[in-house]
Amino acid sequence: MLADLNEDERALKQGLDAFAEGRLRSHIKPFVDRHEFPVDLVREFAALGYMGAAYDPGHDGGGLGVRGAAVVAETLAAVEPGFAAIYLCNSAPMTAIARFGSDALKRRWLGPLCRGEIIASFGVTETHGGSDVAGVKTRAVADGDDWVLSGSKVFSTNAGTELHGLSTVVAVTDPELGPKGLSTFLVAVGTPGFHVGKANRKIGWRIAPSAELFFDECRVPNSAMIGGRGEGLKQILTTLSLGRILVAAAALGLSRKALALARDYGATRRIGGQPIFAHQGLTFPLADAMTHIHAAELMVRNAAVLADAGRPFRLETSMAKLFASEMAGEIADLAVQVHGGYGVYDEYEVSGLLGEAKVLQIVEGTSEVQRLIIARELAS
């Protein structure tokens, strides 16, 4: 961990370590094995105030900004990446409300989300669109003082869980305007016409269910719109960019976990009568992994500092997300290799890390999307 954490961030890290290394590490494995949402552990985590660590204290948040949120994501992922996923996927709708929502929406939703009374899901991606946010097909049609939503979303993490209370949904309000015709809405669970589909099992984020959202003439009031009409694309792109910092932080935590598992197992393993770490073929890659982890930490921290300072951060965020998530896959692969044949057995914790790392390379924009963003910056 970097030496420049301020007093509040150090206190946050200390409390998180106590939860993650104590409660989470000792209780999470059965949930991972069953691909089951750990509702009581999430409630306990939320009751400690960590869900709202980044947000305005006026809405019961911790006021620690993106820097604080990155500390939370990294610390959780170093124990269980799926628990970090629950946190960061809840943070995306919270960020949209905090940055773009009216005072009324903040009073109605941000406080309960910060206190962990409910959690939220993000409804952006559609079956045909993938990373193309501008290709959204879900429609919102004005009807008096209401909007009527019709369409569906996929990969909405946290949806359908016992704590799920709200989804943010981006929809087309003005189709003739193309990408400028998107708007964002808050839809409460239980709203007529809003249904959550069945969650499917995944190779990563196994305790963080991802489901399809369905809107069948779902009526919401005009006050449920976040910000102004036609501002949806800007809102979602900003929210995704901020989310990439947390994904990068989670990848950093996962990489630390993989390196620790490789180190601990390798310290006890012998080949030809010699400790496995007597062979440079393994010690050098582990040295590279440690170096890359340090570089990723600097990149995550820099992107978070820029975001909190209100400075441009999109390029730095994409570079951090690309580097950290690709690194996580490489170090997870190395950790499995160190374990040899045992690395592919379920009872060894390392076996699940490749799937967890792969999810991080896809969510909030694939590695290819991040390279496209970076390349466009080079050409500008």
Side-chain angles (χ1 to χ4, degrees):
M1 180 60 63
L2 293 174
D4 74 330
L5 294 181
N6 61 39
E7 183 176 348
D8 289 337
E9 291 166 344
R10 285 195 297 271
L12 173 68
K13 184 69 168 63
Q14 183 177 9
L16 279 166
D17 283 338
F19 172 81
E21 297 296 338
R23 297 288 296 161
L24 190 58
R25 187 177 294 281
S26 59
H27 291 85
I28 199 62
K29 188 177 187 305
F31 296 97
V32 175
D33 291 343
R34 297 191 299 262
H35 291 240
E36 180 182 334
F37 182 78
V39 60
D40 290 335
L41 282 169
V42 174
R43 282 197 175 110
E44 183 178 340
F45 170 79
L48 293 170
Y50 296 128
M51 286 295 191
Y55 302 100
D56 184 357
H59 297 286
D60 293 326
L64 297 181
V66 183
R67 285 169 51 143
V71 170
V72 177
E74 179 190 345
T75 304
L76 294 175
V79 174
E80 171 46 48
F83 206 92
I86 294 168
Y87 169 74
L88 66 89
C89 290
N90 187 51
S91 296
M94 292 178 73
T95 295
I97 297 168
R99 288 205 165 226
F100 305 109
S102 65
D103 289 341
L105 284 180
K106 291 176 185 177
R107 287 193 299 269
R108 173 68 180 87
W109 293 113
L110 197 54
L113 286 164
C114 284
R115 294 189 296 271
E117 296 168 5
I118 60 171
I119 62 175
S121 68
F122 207 42
V124 178
T125 306
E126 298 181 355
T127 54
H128 61 277
S131 297
D132 182 17
V133 177
V136 164
K137 301 296 183 185
T138 297
R139 293 295 181 93
V141 178
D143 184 15
D145 293 330
D146 296 336
W147 289 90
V148 180
L149 278 64
S150 299
S152 64
K153 303 291 181 179
V154 293
F155 310 139
S156 187
T157 301
N158 292 333
T161 65
E162 293 180 47
L163 300 180
H164 184 213
L166 180 71
S167 285
T168 52
V169 182
V170 61
V172 179
T173 50
D174 299 278
E176 71 280 1
L177 297 180
K180 295 183 179 180
L182 300 178
S183 302
T184 311
F185 298 87
L186 294 177
V187 183
V189 172
T191 302
F194 175 32
H195 306 285
V196 179
K198 181 179 180 293
N200 295 313
R201 292 166 72 95
K202 307 188 294 291
I203 63 171
W205 289 14
R206 290 163 287 179
I207 63 171
S210 301
E212 194 167 359
L213 309 180
F214 298 97
F215 304 92
D216 183 11
E217 296 189 356
C218 176
R219 184 177 293 269
V220 297
N222 189 57
S223 60
M225 182 184 288
I226 300 178
R229 181 170 178 171
E231 296 178 357
L233 183 62
K234 176 188 70 176
Q235 294 166 356
I236 296 304
L237 290 179
T238 299
T239 301
L240 288 174
S241 288
L242 290 165
R244 286 168 188 150
I245 299 175
L246 302 193
V247 173
L252 177 59
L254 187 156
S255 298
R256 291 192 195 281
K257 176 176 183 173
L259 183 60
L261 289 172
R263 179 197 62 214
D264 293 347
Y265 183 80
T268 65
R269 189 178 177 199
R270 303 178 74 85
I271 295 179
Q274 295 291 322
I276 192 173
F277 286 158
H279 300 274
Q280 292 180 350
L282 278 179
T283 54
F284 281 12
L286 289 170
D288 288 341
M290 190 171 181
T291 303
H292 294 160
I293 285 172
H294 182 60
E297 184 174 25
L298 294 172
M299 295 176 75
V300 170
R301 186 69 168 179
N302 181 59
V305 167
L306 291 173
D308 282 337
R311 296 170 59 187
F313 59 88
R314 189 182 182 205
L315 173 63
E316 288 78 7
T317 293
S318 287
M319 290 192 294
K321 197 268 185 184
L322 173 64
F323 183 84
S325 63
E326 294 284 315
M327 171 192 74
E330 293 168 1
I331 299 178
D333 183 73
L334 175 62
V336 171
Q337 195 73 17
V338 169
H339 282 70
Y342 293 107
V344 300
Y345 280 85
D346 281 344
E347 57 262 41
Y348 283 80
E349 194 175 7
V350 73
S351 66
L353 293 186
L354 280 169
E356 298 289 353
K358 178 52 66 177
V359 174
L360 296 175
Q361 293 169 10
I362 294 171
V363 296
E364 306 289 46
T366 63
S367 293
E368 291 77 15
V369 168
Q370 306 316 313
R371 289 186 173 96
L372 180 61
I373 292 169
I374 297 165
R376 285 175 176 169
E377 183 70 20
L378 285 171
S380 65

